[in-house]
Amino acid sequence: MSRRPSIPPAADETGAVRAEIEQLSHRELEVAHAYADGATYRAIAERLGIAPTTVRAHIYAVYRKLGVGSKIALSQALGGDAAHSASRDGGAASSISKAVRPSVAILPFENRSGAAEHEGIIAGIVDRTTGILSNFRMLLVIAAASSLNRRDSAKDITTIGEELGARYLLRGTFFRDGARLRVTAELVDAPTRAHVWSKTYDGAWSDIFELQDDLACSIAQTIEPEIRARELQRARQGKTSNLDAWELYCLAFDAFCRFSDGGYRIAREQAERAISADEDFAAPHSLLARIDFLEATIGTSPDPKKSLTEGIAHGRRAIGIDARDEVAHCCLAYCLVMAGNFDEAFVVLRRAFEINANSVEVHNARAFANLLAPDGDLRQVISDSEIALRMSPNDPLRWTFLANIGTANLADAEHGSAEVAMNAFREASLLPRASWFTNAGAAMAALALGDSEEFKEQVSRTRAARPGVTVQDFVQAFEHLISRSPQVRALIEKLDVNF
C-alpha cells in the first residue's frame, strides 16, 4: 500500500485547517503538492499516469475543500514549499520522482497580412514544426491540434501554458510584403514569461511551400538546443533536496560537459541516481555510455577495453528502453567506433538518421565515425560538422564540431588545408570546457604549416591544459588517424623531434 504523503504543519495552523487537509484523498494531496511546487497539469499527469483533465478535476476539488482560490494560497495552506520538502522523511531515494521531460507547444502564428488564405499556410507551419520537434525524444511535444485551438486566445502566456501542459511556448508572426515573406518566431518560458530565444526568417513568397518546410526544420533545429540549455540552467538553480530524474540527468550532463576527471565522476554519480529514480529513463544510460567512451578515448580509464564494453552495454540498454531515441543510437555508435566495430556503428548511425535527421547529435556522431573509420569519408566529416555548427551555434559541445573539422583537414592530404585546421583548432581551444586535444591539434597544424613560433605557443598551451603531457599522449589521441593518414603519421614523427 502506498504511503499517504505526510501533512506539514503550517506556521499558525488551527485544527480546522488540519481537518480540511485531512479531507483530501491520497491522490488529491499528491496532486496538490505537485501543483503548489510549480508543476504543470501535463507534467503532473505524466508523472502520475493520469489524464491532464483528471489533474484539473483534482485541483478544483482541492481548492473547494480547502477554500482557496490561487496557487499561492494553496501553497500556504499546505505549509509552504520548505515544509513540504522537510516532510519527505523517506530519505533521498523517496524524494526523487520519475523523469518529466520539458514540454513545448507551438502556438498559431499571428497573421499580420490579414489574408484568410494565409491561415492554411500558418497551420501548416505549426503542424510541420510540431512533427519535427516530436522526433527529439528529450522533448514532450503537445499535439498541433491542441495548439491550434488556442488561435486568437486572449489568455496570458502562463495560463495557455498551464492549459496545454507546456513549459515552453513558441509563438510568432506571419507577414507578406509583396513578393517577400517574413516570419518571426519567439520561444517563451511559460511559467515565468521569460524570453528564451527569437529569430526572424525572410524568403520569397514564390517559394512558400518549400519555405514552409525549411522554416519548420530551422525552428525545430534551433529551439531544441535552446531548451536543452535552459533546462541545464533550471536544474543548476533547483533545490538539491527536491530533484526528479530529469533534473538529475541535466546536472549529470552539465558535469559531463566540464570534460574533466572530476566532472565525469560527478556525471556518473548523478546519472546513476537518475536511473535509480526511473529505470525506464533512456537518457542517463546514454550518458553513461558517453562517459565510458570518453574515458576510454582520452586515456583516463584504467581499463579502456572494459570501459567500452560497459559503454556498449549502456548504449544497448538505452535503445532497449526507447528504440526511437537518436541520442542513444549515437552514444552506442561512439563506443562501437572506439572498439573498432565500424560496420555496426554505421548501421546504428543510419538508424539514428532515419529517426531524426534534424538532430545535431547524429551529424556529430557520423562525423566522428567517418573520422576514425579506416575508409571513412573525411569530406563528410567536414560537411556534418559544419551542419552541426549551423544547427547549434551555442552548443556546449561546439568545440568538438570544430575539432572534427580541424582533424579532418589535417588528415586529408588531397583536399585538406592546414590553415583551415589551425583556425578551427584555435577557435575550439578558446571555447569553455574545451579539451587539451584542441591545443594539441593546433600544435600539429603549426607543424604542418612550418610555423615554429606558433608550434611552441600551442605546445605550451597543451602542457598548461594537460600537465605532464607527452608525445605518447599525442600518439594515443591521433592513434586511429596515424594508420590511415600518411600526413598525420609524418606530423607525429616530426612532433617527436621538436617536442
Side-chain angles (χ1 to χ4, degrees):
M1 179 180 294
S2 60
R3 182 176 63 87
R4 177 184 175 87
S6 56
I7 301 171
D12 299 314
E13 184 175 289
T14 65
V17 173
R18 177 173 291 277
E20 289 171 347
I21 295 177
E22 289 288 1
Q23 294 179 38
L24 303 181
S25 68
H26 171 85
R27 179 48 58 87
E28 286 172 345
L29 193 57
E30 200 172 20
V31 169
H33 276 308
Y35 188 63
D37 286 346
T40 64
Y41 290 169
R42 177 76 63 173
I44 297 170
E46 183 175 354
R47 182 179 301 180
L48 301 181
I50 58 179
T53 53
T54 304
V55 174
R56 182 191 296 275
H58 282 312
I59 294 298
Y60 176 79
V62 169
Y63 275 25
R64 178 174 51 80
K65 291 180 180 180
L66 298 185
V68 298
S70 70
K71 187 181 292 186
I72 294 175
L74 173 63
S75 182
Q76 291 172 343
L78 294 174
D81 182 69
H84 174 45
S85 296
S87 74
R88 302 180 180 192
D89 52 6
S94 64
S95 71
I96 304 172
S97 57
K98 288 198 171 188
V100 180
R101 295 171 291 165
S103 48
V104 58
I106 296 92
L107 302 179
F109 287 14
E110 180 185 351
N111 183 2
R112 293 195 173 171
S113 298
E117 62 268 22
H118 295 166
E119 295 295 340
I121 299 295
I122 294 174
I125 292 174
V126 172
D127 185 62
R128 179 64 174 144
T129 307
T130 300
I132 295 170
L133 271 179
S134 66
N135 288 324
F136 292 94
R137 304 296 280 177
M138 299 304 290
L139 297 177
L140 176 63
V141 184
I142 309 303
S146 297
S147 299
L148 288 170
N149 286 335
R150 266 63 186 179
R151 187 186 303 276
D152 302 323
S153 175
K155 295 177 180 178
D156 65 86
I157 204 75
T158 301
T159 300
I160 293 174
E162 286 188 351
E163 290 181 347
L164 288 173
R167 181 179 295 173
Y168 299 96
L169 295 177
L170 182 76
R171 60 185 180 182
T173 62
F174 180 98
F175 179 71
R176 178 184 180 183
D177 181 16
R180 303 296 299 171
L181 176 68
R182 169 165 290 191
V183 176
T184 65
E186 178 189 24
L187 186 67
V188 180
D189 186 323
T192 64
R193 306 184 189 181
H195 169 89
V196 177
W197 162 89
S198 63
K199 192 169 184 179
T200 299
Y201 301 87
D202 290 289
W205 177 254
S206 58
D207 300 327
I208 182 57
F209 293 109
E210 181 180 350
L211 177 66
Q212 179 181 1
D213 204 53
D214 290 345
L215 176 62
C217 289
S218 182
I219 291 174
Q221 291 166 356
T222 305
I223 72 173
E224 188 273 338
E226 292 292 340
I227 290 176
R228 183 153 35 95
R230 182 84 175 183
E231 288 295 298
L232 287 175
Q233 181 182 15
R234 186 189 298 275
R236 293 189 202 114
Q237 296 171 347
K239 301 181 182 69
T240 56
S241 62
N242 187 24
L243 295 175
D244 64 18
W246 167 256
E247 291 168 321
L248 287 168
Y249 164 73
C250 287
L251 291 175
F253 187 77
D254 185 48
F256 166 81
C257 287
R258 298 176 196 173
F259 298 104
S260 66
D261 293 347
Y264 298 146
R265 185 185 66 255
I266 294 171
R268 188 180 294 277
E269 291 171 356
Q270 298 287 45
E272 288 173 349
R273 286 185 67 199
I275 291 171
S276 296
D278 187 351
E279 294 180 356
D280 295 324
F281 186 18
H285 287 283
S286 297
L287 184 58
L288 288 175
R290 200 192 295 256
I291 295 169
D292 288 328
F293 150 70
L294 262 183
E295 288 182 337
T297 303
I298 64 178
T300 58
S301 170
D303 188 344
K305 186 176 180 179
K306 180 182 178 183
S307 292
L308 290 174
T309 299
E310 291 177 351
I312 290 171
H314 283 304
R316 296 197 195 285
R317 171 60 178 151
I319 293 173
I321 293 171
D322 189 348
R324 289 195 55 78
D325 186 339
E326 78 280 2
V327 175
H329 285 75
C330 292
C331 292
L332 173 58
Y334 288 135
C335 293
L336 290 170
V337 166
M338 285 306 299
N341 299 337
F342 297 107
D343 290 342
E344 185 179 356
F346 280 106
V347 170
V348 171
L349 286 172
R350 279 196 294 273
R351 176 59 182 146
F353 267 88
E354 290 171 359
I355 293 169
N356 189 5
N358 293 292
S359 169
V360 172
E361 190 75 62
V362 298
H363 286 279
N364 192 36
R366 186 169 67 179
F368 178 76
N370 273 302
L371 191 60
L372 269 63
D375 56 350
D377 186 343
L378 293 176
R379 300 182 78 176
Q380 184 68 57
V381 172
I382 295 172
S383 175
D384 276 325
S385 300
E386 288 176 343
I387 290 171
L389 286 171
R390 289 196 302 271
M391 291 169 97
S392 187
N394 300 316
D395 200 289
L397 298 178
R398 178 182 173 87
W399 70 266
T400 66
F401 309 158
L402 290 163
N404 285 340
I405 291 173
T407 307
N409 273 280
L410 276 183
D412 192 344
E414 183 178 356
H415 302 288
S417 162
E419 185 174 356
V420 171
M422 172 61 77
N423 291 336
F425 280 124
R426 273 179 176 165
E427 183 180 346
S429 70
L430 297 175
L431 293 173
R433 304 171 175 179
S435 165
W436 68 276
F437 177 79
T438 58
N439 295 115
M444 296 275 282
L447 277 178
L449 291 169
D451 189 335
S452 59
E453 290 303 313
E454 183 66 28
F455 171 74
K456 292 177 183 177
E457 173 66 21
Q458 293 301 332
V459 167
S460 175
R461 293 188 177 188
T462 304
R463 286 173 171 153
R466 187 178 175 88
V469 66
T470 65
V471 172
Q472 187 56 38
D473 291 320
F474 276 75
V475 172
Q476 182 172 350
F478 290 91
E479 179 181 6
H480 288 78
L481 291 174
I482 291 173
S483 59
R484 70 170 292 185
S485 170
Q487 184 161 302
V488 172
R489 186 162 58 250
L491 288 173
I492 288 291
E493 292 171 357
K494 195 172 182 181
L495 174 73
D496 198 18
V497 174
N498 292 274
F499 194 71

